[in-house]
């Protein structure tokens, strides 16, 4: 079932609020605040599909609220339709320059407002879909490298801020070139998809973020885990791939498709950059593959 679109009205005029609510009521979820300054935090969490903002409220806060909404990363992407009692071109230009998607003057025609809101919601829906497609890997449906890098960087920043442990784990499918050569590239794709799903299930059960790092490698990012837990997680990832029992008769190490895992682990107060940590994890992966030990952790 499709989720109802959520529209948030910021307006201190109860009559305006009622008129807007009547226009928008069908199949849409409405929230309302008469106090623009107190609702900013709520908007960051609830992330409505559209905000209708009266810029000429009694306290004159409207334009600065618009500025705040467009400055904050948590609300930046939410389209804002400005409603205003001012017909001044200067005010209209100001609203649009500050990032509003539309500027509607009072008194407004309900049919026009309804039609404009519908169009902005349709654009928002398309933008959301494009953003999703731009962050998902087409073959495995996992977060792609761009999204993964963003998630790893933001997790690293948080770990640095509170001095907690940080781990990057790289998981690589063993002898995959040989797999492709033996079974064909299409079967290779199918195998990568199944391995990705198995890893994702194991990661999701433990609330861990996983993405496709490159062709045959996946990356997980872990915060606040000690070495023992990381080893347990690595074992669980191995078990989930082994349980697939995808034949790989050309592999010199296992009759089925297997993975090797390397990790970079910083126990406390990490000062390294993400690139250095990935290099450490990659070196650990190379050791794991060489020693056929399946897991190797580079720890500092
Ligand atoms: N089917 C398929 N193959 C891919 C994809 N991405 C990368 N590959 C292949 O994966 C293979 C990876 O080869 P290598 O990096 O040499 O890895 P390997 O065969 O595991 O060799 P070692 O690292 O020495 O174990 C290459 O042949 C790539 O063409 C993909 O999306 N689908």
């Amino acid at each position: 079932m499709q989720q109802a679109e959520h529209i948030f009205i910021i307006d201190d005029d109860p009559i305006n609020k009622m008129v807007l609510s009547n226009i928008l009521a069908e199949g849409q979820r409405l929230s309302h605040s008469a106090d623009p300054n107190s609702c900013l935090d709520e908007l960051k969490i609830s992330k409505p599909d559209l905000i209708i903002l009266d810029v000429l409220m009694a306290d004159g806060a409207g334009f600065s609220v618009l500025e705040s909404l467009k400055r904050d990363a948590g609300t930046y992407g939410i389209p804002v339709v400005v409603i205003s009692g001012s017909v001044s071109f200067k005010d209209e230009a100001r609203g649009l320059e500050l990032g509003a998607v539309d500027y509607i003057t009072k008194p407004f025609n309900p049919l026009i407002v309804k039609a404009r809101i519908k169009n902005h919601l349709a654009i928002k829906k398309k933008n959301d879909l494009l953003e999703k497609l731009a962050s998902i890997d087409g073959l495995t449906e996992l977060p792609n490298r761009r999204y993964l890098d963003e998630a790893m960087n933001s997790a690293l920043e948080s770990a640095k801020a509170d001095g907690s442990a940080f781990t990057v784990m790289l998981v690589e499918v063993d002898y995959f070139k040989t797999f492709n050569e033996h079974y064909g590239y299409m079967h290779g794709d199918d195998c990568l998809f199944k391995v990705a799903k198995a890893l994702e299930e194991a990661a999701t059960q433990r609330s861990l973020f996983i993405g496709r790092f490159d062709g045959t490698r996946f990356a997980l990012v872990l915060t606040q885990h000690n070495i023992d837990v990381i080893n347990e997680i690595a074992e669980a990832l191995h078990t989930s791939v082994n349980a697939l029992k995808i034949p790989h008769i050309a592999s010199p190490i296992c009759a089925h498709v297997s993975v090797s895992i390397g990790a970079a682990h910083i126990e406390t107060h990490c000062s390294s950059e993400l690139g250095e940590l990935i290099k450490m994890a990659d070196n650990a992966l190379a050791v794991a593959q060489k020693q056929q030990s399946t897991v190797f952790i580079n720890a500092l």
Side-chain angles (χ1 to χ4, degrees), residues 54-293:
D54 185 348
V55 284
L56 294 183
M57 282 176 285
D59 65 356
F63 281 111
S64 65
V65 171
L66 179 57
E67 246 177 322
S68 305
L69 288 169
K70 291 294 144 189
R71 212 184 306 118
D72 194 300
T75 49
Y76 175 82
I78 306 170
V80 180
V81 170
V82 163
I83 300 277
S84 173
S86 163
V87 290
S88 137
F89 289 137
K90 237 172 128 184
D91 280 344
E92 183 167 354
R94 188 174 170 206
L96 296 173
E97 275 164 12
L98 286 174
V101 290
D102 210 342
Y103 187 98
I104 300 173
T105 51
K106 291 189 233 175
F108 45 74
N109 178 305
L111 288 176
I112 301 289
V113 173
K114 196 172 179 172
R116 287 188 173 191
I117 300 292
K118 193 174 159 216
N119 288 348
H120 290 303
L121 285 169
I123 293 169
K124 167 77 165 51
K125 208 167 170 185
K126 277 189 190 147
N127 285 343
D128 286 351
L129 181 64
L130 282 176
E131 201 168 303
K132 191 173 168 213
L133 290 175
S135 60
I136 296 295
D137 173 60
L139 175 67
T140 62
E141 296 166 1
L142 289 182
N144 63 14
R145 181 63 186 272
R146 188 178 72 98
Y147 186 5
L148 182 64
D149 280 349
E150 271 174 28
M152 288 196 289
N153 268 315
S154 112
L156 179 58
E157 286 315 310
S158 309
K160 280 182 177 176
D162 52 21
S164 56
F166 183 82
T167 314
V168 178
M169 196 180 263
L170 288 178
V171 182
E172 179 162 33
V173 186
D174 297 319
Y175 295 95
F176 200 66
K177 189 164 175 282
T178 327
F179 185 96
N180 272 338
E181 284 163 1
H182 191 86
Y183 296 98
Y185 208 85
M186 294 283 278
H187 274 92
D189 279 358
D190 188 46
C191 170
L192 282 178
F193 178 78
K194 286 178 178 149
V195 169
K197 289 290 149 203
L199 294 172
E200 185 183 25
E201 201 184 321
T204 311
Q205 276 170 10
R206 292 160 183 82
S207 308
L208 301 174
F209 188 90
I210 181 168
R212 191 177 188 191
F213 186 77
D214 61 15
T216 54
R217 288 188 294 181
F218 303 92
L220 285 96
V221 55
L222 304 88
T223 48
Q224 300 179 342
H225 292 82
N226 64 32
I227 289 270
D228 292 341
V229 176
I230 292 161
N231 267 309
E232 273 170 38
I233 291 168
E235 279 313 317
L237 296 172
H238 274 296
T239 306
S240 67
V241 175
N242 289 339
L244 294 171
K245 292 201 179 309
I246 303 171
H248 189 352
I249 57 166
S251 166
I253 55 166
C254 183
H256 296 104
V257 166
S258 59
V259 290
S260 296
I261 300 179
H265 174 72
I266 308 291
E267 190 58 41
T268 176
H269 293 101
C270 176
S271 59
S272 309
E273 294 306 316
L274 184 62
E276 298 167 55
L277 295 168
I278 287 173
K279 185 106 191 57
M280 268 172 74
D282 198 29
N283 291 341
L285 179 61
V287 176
Q289 284 168 332
K290 208 163 156 193
Q291 295 180 347
Q292 292 185 13
S293 60

